[in-house]
Each structure stands twice: as C-alpha cells, then as structure tokens.
Amino acid sequence: MKEVNSICMEKLVKVDGKVRTDVGFPAGFMDVIQLERSNDTFRLLYDTKGRFILHPIGAEESTFKLCRVQKLDVSKKNIPFIVTHDGRTIRYIDPAIKVNDTIKVDLATGKVVDFLKFSTGSLCMVQRGQNAGRGGVIQHVEKHPGSFDIVTIKDASGNTFATRLKNVFVIGEETKPWVSLPKGKGVKLTILEERAVRTKN
C-alpha cells in the first residue's frame, strides 16, 4: 500500500485525463486509466464473469470514453442537460440524444463528439446484474409499465439471454464496437467449454 500511495502522490496516475492523487478515488466502467511514466493506458471493463479488468488500449482510443445517458432534463433557465452514468452533467446537447443512449465524450474538452441510439440491432454490453460483462446484439425490448423493462440480447455464439433495461450499455453498431473489447468478446462460456479451452492450451 505504501508503494501505491507514493505512486499516486507523485501524480503519475490519470483517470479520464485528470491527475488523481487519492488512492480511494472511485474508478468505474469505461474509465480510461493512464500511467504515463510506463506508457501504459487501460480502459476499465468487465470480463464475462462480471469482474473488473484493465483492458490495454492504444493512444487513439485513450482520447475518448463512452457514457450512458441516465437522465435528460431542463434547468430552471430552460437549458437542456443530460446526466451520464459516471456523474457528468453536459449542457446544450443534441436534441436527438435520449435516455439510455450512449454518447462519445472527448476527454480533453469534455464535449460530446458523437452518440449511439439505444435500438434493436445495436451492439451492447451488460454492466450490472447476473449477466454483467456479457455482450451481444439487442433483439427486442419488452415494455412492462410499473415494473422493469426487459431486453433480450443475442451474443456472438448465438446464445440469447435477458436482462433489465437499466443494465444495458450500448457500445457500437451491430458488429462494430466503438471500443476494443477484452478477451472473449463478451461471450460467456459454460464450465465444460472453459475446461475444453484450458485443455487445448
């Protein structure tokens, strides 16, 4: 822990482009972590078992992050704004951006560069719940007024699973993710499939 403290206090760690000296600073899903002295850059993602992993990324990908829109509202002075999953408040956004959509944020300026619509056929990753870390294409959304809306997702190996709407994070269009994905590409293997992969290696 002493080493961690000294590394942070020397201002060697950046989270989303800003120096962080607090060892307990909360980093979350999609955050970009930079260690400039060792020239390492990572994106915080989930593996298929729902555990946080540091996924190495290149210089080009380290300039932006994806944020899920949690809230869309208008201020007292009639200024439209959105609140994202990581606590950002962004004003004067594109009118086409709605709740559950994903925005691409430039880390240097904090401005919205592009956005992805939450719709059938979009590529997504589950960020919470029993299926956290799994990815696939949105098949359809079941509306349940007064309860949780359910989204059915189909992964790359053809397996389908369902999760709550609030757990789904859109990361790309059909087969083109906007961020590089960790090993497994969001496909969860069964115990027998995992054993087969281990015995091959």
Side-chain angles (χ1 to χ4, degrees), residues 2-67:
K2 279 184 180 179
E3 291 90 343
V4 176
N5 266 315
S6 62
I7 289 167
C8 287
M9 294 310 290
E10 283 182 41
K11 300 183 178 181
L12 300 176
V13 181
K14 284 185 178 180
V15 179
D16 288 344
K18 293 184 179 178
V19 173
R20 302 294 179 186
T21 56
D22 182 11
V23 176
F25 182 80
F29 185 60
M30 284 289 168
D31 282 357
V32 175
I33 296 160
Q34 292 171 292
L35 303 169
E36 287 185 339
R37 188 170 288 183
S38 61
N39 203 25
D40 289 326
T41 310
F42 305 96
R43 191 181 299 281
L44 207 54
L45 296 171
Y46 291 112
D47 66 4
T48 51
K49 294 187 178 180
R51 301 171 297 197
F52 271 127
I53 57 165
L54 290 169
H55 176 62
I57 56 174
E60 189 182 335
E61 204 181 316
S62 67
T63 59
F64 70 90
K65 73 178 289 190
L66 301 183
C67 297

Side-chain angles (χ1 to χ4, degrees), residues 19 29 34-35 37 44 49 77-78 85 88 92 102 112 118 121-122 129 139-140 148 168 171 190 195 199:
V19 173
F29 185 60
Q34 292 171 292
L35 303 169
R37 188 170 288 183
L44 207 54
K49 294 187 178 180
K77 293 183 179 179
N78 289 326
H85 80 284
R88 292 169 189 265
Y92 298 110
T102 297
V112 178
F118 180 91
S122 296
Q139 298 298 299
H140 67 271
F148 300 104
V168 178
I171 58 167
T190 63
R195 192 179 74 175
T199 51

Side-chain angles (χ1 to χ4, degrees), residues 163-201:
T163 188
R164 291 177 181 177
L165 176 65
K166 67 177 184 180
N167 297 342
V168 178
F169 194 115
V170 178
I171 58 167
E173 300 160 339
E174 294 182 10
T175 55
K176 293 179 182 177
W178 283 13
V179 293
S180 59
L181 298 175
K183 184 182 168 186
K185 307 289 182 187
V187 178
K188 190 174 186 178
L189 302 176
T190 63
I191 296 168
L192 293 173
E193 286 170 337
E194 280 181 10
R195 192 179 74 175
V197 170
R198 280 200 301 270
T199 51
K200 271 184 183 178
N201 299 333

